[in-house]
Amino acid sequence: MSFSDLGLNPKLLQAVEDVGYTTPTPIQEQAIPYVLMGRDVMGCAQTGTGKTASFTLPMIEMLSSGRARARMPRSLILTPTRELAHQISENFESYGKYSKLSKALLIGGSSFAEQIKLLERGVDVLIATPGRLLDLFERGKIMLVDTKLLVIDEADRMLDMGFIPDVEKIVSLLPPLRQTLFFSATMAPEIRKLSDKFLSNPKEISVTKQASTAETVEQTIIKIDGGPKEKREALRQVMTGEGEIQSAILFCNRKKDVDILNKSLNVHGFSAAALHGDMAQSSRMETLSDFKEGKVKLLVCSDVAARGLDIPAVSHVFNFDVPVNPEDYVHRIGRTGRAGREGKAFTIATIEDYKGLRNVLTTINSGIPVVSLEGFETWTDEEAASLKGRRRRRPAKATAKSSDAKEAKPSRRRKKSDDVAEDDSTDTAASSDAGNGADEKRSAKKPTRTARRKTKPTAVIGEREPSSEPSNPTSSFGDHTPAFILREAKVA
Ligand code: AMP
């Protein structure tokens, strides 16, 4: 099938050709004709499948006739993040370059005055994050009674980010007779409930199985036992083993850890930059464009900031932390292997991540090869299961930092950076953040600096259920006596 079979006008076909697309992706092939018919659509599609064009192309076609009135947008696209809003806006610019459509972006972190000015001129397409839109509505700057086309993009993410009450309020301000297009990477029961509420007799389109991971991504789990410091060492080792990485996205669960990891990578000579929600919008955009232009090779992000990033050349994704929400795993690794390209995704998992990892495997419903790293301690499912009731199985305090350093045969990059004291300070910060004893130093087997990643997977986890019971069940706190029990009691 070609784009000309989809019923798009010649101007749009020319714009699509200019961008270099030759054939529609499955979501475009299936969604575009229904959107053009005026039907509601519920699309289950991950980012990277071409879903943005599946609604922007027919929208441009449909909005090409008619005029917008002041403060009354004709269509509305709701997105969870500013970055995604920007990307959708860029899509409108490329595909709509031969069509005269006005658009406005209503997102936090940008000037109200500019946005209000655009609204007053009248907009055909309004791309907004829910908070800013409601803010402007409450200030009386916008009316949604003429908005007859609504797109809710990345609904699952809206749910995760707690935006659903805002979305519900916005939808209640729209005319009931409208066309609604609803996209989500996953179809969890809550998402289905929402789509039932917002859509009327929708055409359901699913281009991947539920919460499936991109097939073009080679996934690996690196099991190591240790705290943040060991994780950073393991990460560096894996990245070095991958050779010259052109562009990679690294995910941390917490904003604080994004900063720590970014700082540590820079100290170790990597070209990295951080992206998270606490940064000013201008510096987020600057970082993103530096990354897109290849000025920085590694982007260290939180989930929220990375949502909706469309950077086709990302070759690797590194999960520095196993995501708390298993569906984020699907989104994270979907940053690579986009639009038919190959990508690699590595996930560093410590014994504390056992449960999170199992949740990920259940969600993606398939196994992932596991490798261990030479020079790093690893752990087994049985050990993880028997960890119940104890926080960590930590060996006694580290003894041999200096002797290890002597034994080690560091690579140039490692040597330079291992000598940097700043990294130790970041370790302390990271450890205190981790809380659960991760600041204890490791003793038994510090990673040797000549350590390399084993190339062959040691196992594929997720293919068999581990026994849910520990092989060596312990009761109470097991062989560990918590510090509070040993503390002298204060008697009044
Ligand atoms: P999306 O899923 O909308 O984030 O799109 C993922 C990537 O696929 C973007 O870089 C698009 O530019 C690209 N893309 C979208 N449609 C096509 C197509 N028909 N052929 C090739 N690439 C496409």
Side-chain angles (χ1 to χ4, degrees):
M1 184 179 271
S2 74
F3 278 101
S4 54
D5 299 323
L6 296 176
L8 298 168
N9 70 41
K11 283 182 189 168
L12 271 171
L13 294 177
Q14 184 58 51
V16 166
E17 198 184 315
D18 293 353
V19 201
Y21 304 160
T22 48
T23 36
T25 63
I27 183 90
Q28 291 161 5
E29 203 178 300
Q30 294 175 63
I32 292 174
Y34 285 95
V35 181
L36 289 174
M37 267 181 230
R39 282 276 301 271
D40 281 5
V41 167
M42 185 173 82
C44 182
Q46 292 170 248
T47 49
T49 55
K51 75 171 162 62
T52 318
S54 79
F55 62 83
T56 47
L57 286 171
M59 277 178 80
I60 297 170
E61 167 93 39
M62 292 158 78
L63 295 167
S64 59
S65 56
R67 265 184 73 93
R69 288 186 281 165
R71 285 182 285 153
M72 295 168 84
R74 295 169 68 205
S75 67
L76 168 65
I77 302 173
L78 286 177
T79 81
T81 65
R82 300 165 188 184
E83 280 76 16
L84 186 55
H86 272 287
Q87 265 169 216
I88 296 172
S89 167
E90 282 164 14
N91 268 242
F92 271 104
E93 255 151 49
S94 334
Y95 310 141
K97 67 179 188 186
Y98 300 117
S99 323
K100 284 198 181 78
L101 286 186
S102 54
K103 66 172 169 48
L105 258 181
L106 298 193
I107 53 173
S110 306
S111 132
F112 270 111
E114 201 55 43
Q115 295 174 357
I116 292 168
K117 218 196 281 173
L118 284 173
L119 285 172
E120 276 170 0
R121 273 191 228 143
V123 291
D124 296 304
V125 183
L126 184 62
I127 306 161
T129 47
R132 178 56 68 102
L133 178 67
L134 280 178
D135 204 338
L136 282 160
F137 178 82
E138 275 149 22
R139 291 169 190 228
K141 302 293 178 196
I142 186 166
M143 283 181 283
L144 296 171
V145 287
D146 206 23
T147 309
K148 302 207 179 81
L149 209 169
L150 168 70
V151 179
I152 300 175
D153 198 14
E154 308 217 335
D156 50 337
R157 197 62 191 176
M158 301 262 201
L159 184 77
D160 292 347
M161 292 168 74
F163 287 164
I164 295 305
D166 283 355
V167 174
E168 285 178 324
K169 169 130 199 247
I170 292 166
V171 174
S172 75
L173 304 170
L174 263 68
L177 270 182
R178 58 164 198 269
Q179 183 179 9
T180 307
L181 316 174
F182 184 95
F183 293 89
S184 178
T186 57
M187 267 313 146
E190 300 99 305
I191 298 291
R192 180 145 307 266
K193 249 191 245 160
L194 279 177
S195 73
D196 289 348
K197 197 163 159 191
F198 297 152
L199 304 173
S200 139
N201 184 28
K203 169 71 187 163
E204 291 191 21
I205 298 165
S206 179
V207 291
T208 48
K209 60 182 180 176
Q210 277 195 17
S212 67
T213 44
E215 276 166 18
T216 46
V217 183
E218 183 190 324
Q219 302 168 63
T220 308
I221 289 171
I222 317 265
K223 263 189 184 180
I224 64 148
D225 194 15
K229 183 169 190 267
E230 287 75 20
K231 282 171 77 176
R232 286 197 291 274
E233 284 178 355
L235 175 71
R236 293 196 296 270
Q237 186 170 312
V238 175
M239 289 201 301
T240 308
E242 284 297 293
E244 190 75 20
I245 293 178
Q246 277 315 309
S247 74
I249 303 188
L250 293 84
F251 286 95
C252 296
N253 289 352
R254 285 167 294 203
K255 292 175 205 165
K256 193 173 163 191
D257 293 339
V258 168
D259 283 332
I260 293 169
L261 181 60
N262 175 42
K263 201 168 145 200
S264 164
L265 285 168
N266 277 290
V267 164
H268 283 263
F270 290 88
S271 155
L275 188 78
H276 60 66
D278 281 353
M279 290 163 61
Q281 181 63 11
S282 56
S283 57
R284 278 161 75 166
M285 296 315 292
E286 200 181 315
T287 303
L288 205 50
S289 91
D290 283 353
F291 182 61
K292 281 185 177 176
E293 287 165 23
K295 289 185 196 156
V296 278
K297 306 278 184 213
L298 311 176
L299 190 64
V300 191
C301 311
S302 60
D303 287 289
V304 170
R307 186 72 181 183
L309 296 188
D310 171 30
I311 306 152
V314 171
S315 58
H316 292 73
V317 164
F318 295 96
N319 288 317
F320 183 72
D321 295 312
V322 172
V324 176
N325 175 357
E327 260 134 31
D328 281 337
Y329 179 83
V330 181
H331 299 303
R332 287 180 180 188
I333 74 155
R335 307 287 105 211
T336 182
R338 288 164 83 80
R341 290 179 178 83
E342 309 251 296
K344 286 185 172 183
F346 292 92
T347 301
I348 298 176
T350 66
I351 196 161
E352 278 89 7
D353 296 319
Y354 170 69
K355 209 173 142 205
L357 206 52
R358 295 228 64 84
N359 291 340
V360 165
L361 294 165
T362 309
T363 303
I364 66 168
N365 195 21
S366 74
I368 304 178
V370 183
V371 299
S372 51
L373 286 181
E374 272 178 38
F376 284 80
E377 277 188 58
T378 187
W379 51 274
T380 62
D381 287 1
E382 287 71 25
E383 283 172 316
S386 69
L387 204 66
K388 253 200 257 170
R390 300 187 269 163
R391 298 211 74 171
R392 282 193 65 79
R393 122 204 110 109
R394 238 30 354 245
K397 226 173 173 328
T399 52
K401 189 168 183 175
S402 53
S403 61
D404 275 351
K406 260 186 246 152
E407 258 173 46
K409 216 167 129 202
S411 68
R412 259 177 37 222
R413 178 179 275 162
R414 298 255 333 229
K415 181 168 189 336
K416 176 179 155 243
S417 40
D418 278 344
D419 291 339
V420 180
E422 196 180 339
D423 193 41
D424 285 337
S425 67
T426 52
D427 283 337
T428 316
S431 307
S432 60
D433 193 28
N436 57 1
D439 53 342
E440 292 169 42
K441 291 272 189 269
R442 305 166 53 76
S443 69
K445 203 170 157 204
K446 256 184 85 63
T448 62
R449 296 174 186 206
T450 46
R452 281 186 307 276
R453 182 164 63 87
K454 280 185 184 164
T455 46
K456 291 241 167 74
T458 51
V460 174
I461 65 166
E463 287 193 340
R464 85 188 150 81
E465 278 299 306
S467 71
S468 54
E469 285 306 311
S471 56
N472 221 344
T474 52
S475 60
S476 182
F477 291 100
D479 54 9
H480 169 71
T481 310
F484 73 87
I485 290 183
L486 298 175
R487 213 177 291 144
E488 225 171 86
K490 276 188 192 148
V491 182

